[in-house]
Amino acid sequence: MHKLLENWLHMDGDLWPIRRYLIENIKPNNVFAVNNFLNVVQSLEGFHRRFRYAKQKGLSDRLLSLHDEFCHHSVISSAFVNKTEIFKQVVDSRHYYSHFYKKDSDDILDGKELYYVTKKVKLLLVACFLNQIGFDNDIIEVALTKV
């Protein structure tokens, strides 16, 4: 426990922005905005770049890599049964909302579909964060059931 508290209190600049976005998106909120989705996806992409693989890699590859790292958690595996389809939707939606592309794909989500996919990728972000600060897999599994 001492090591966990130490990790939390001494987070360097690399993990701080991810922690901020995670906290903002975990707390109960009566309003869902596209920025909630973008913040979670950006945090996942940044996490992978900073802590797993710094070289150039596409968002889809980064999401798949993180999924593969944490798919042993039952909550993650059940949320991403159709991971290829879900990650295509995440990537296309992120590109659409970030770069204001023309909406030319059925994989670009909005409304409740965007809300539900955000909830799924948020699970992955929670797993990444808790793992990075030192929680073991059993505690991460319990935490994921509470998100």
Side-chain angles (χ1 to χ4, degrees):
M1 182 62 135
H2 181 274
K3 183 69 173 163
L4 293 173
L5 289 174
E6 186 177 312
N7 287 349
W8 179 265
L9 293 173
H10 294 100
M11 282 184 205
D12 61 13
D14 286 343
L15 196 53
W16 181 82
I18 296 166
R19 179 185 71 174
R20 189 186 81 223
Y21 281 148
L22 179 62
I23 290 170
E24 287 174 9
N25 284 287
I26 286 290
K27 60 186 176 184
N29 190 348
N30 293 332
V31 178
F32 173 77
V34 169
N35 285 342
N36 299 109
F37 166 76
L38 291 173
N39 289 344
V40 172
V41 174
Q42 182 180 24
S43 294
L44 282 166
E45 188 172 27
F47 178 88
H48 189 270
R49 179 180 300 275
R50 290 177 181 191
F51 300 107
R52 298 304 190 260
Y53 190 81
K55 295 180 182 175
Q56 189 64 26
K57 202 171 197 180
L59 176 58
S60 182
D61 290 336
R62 291 185 187 282
L63 293 171
L64 286 168
S65 176
L66 291 172
H67 172 271
D68 291 348
E69 182 177 345
F70 295 103
C71 67
H72 61 278
H73 293 291
S74 63
V75 175
I76 299 287
S77 64
S78 64
F80 294 98
V81 173
N82 301 326
K83 68 181 178 186
T84 304
E85 178 184 340
I86 292 169
F87 291 148
K88 179 160 180 18
Q89 293 170 335
V90 169
V91 169
D92 287 355
S93 297
R94 195 285 302 256
H95 290 331
Y96 174 73
Y97 291 112
S98 293
H99 306 295
F100 306 108
Y101 292 152
K102 184 178 177 186
K103 190 171 185 177
D104 59 357
S105 169
D106 291 336
D107 289 318
I108 296 170
L109 304 176
D110 58 12
K112 66 181 179 183
E113 290 83 15
L114 187 65
Y115 170 78
Y116 289 122
V117 83
T118 302
K119 287 182 64 136
K120 290 180 182 189
V121 292
K122 192 185 309 181
L123 291 168
L124 195 53
L125 181 59
V126 169
C128 292
F129 184 82
L130 293 177
N131 174 268
Q132 189 67 26
I133 62 172
F135 282 94
D136 68 29
N137 285 327
D138 292 337
I139 293 175
I140 293 171
E141 183 75 30
V142 170
L144 290 174
T145 64
K146 308 287 185 195
V147 174

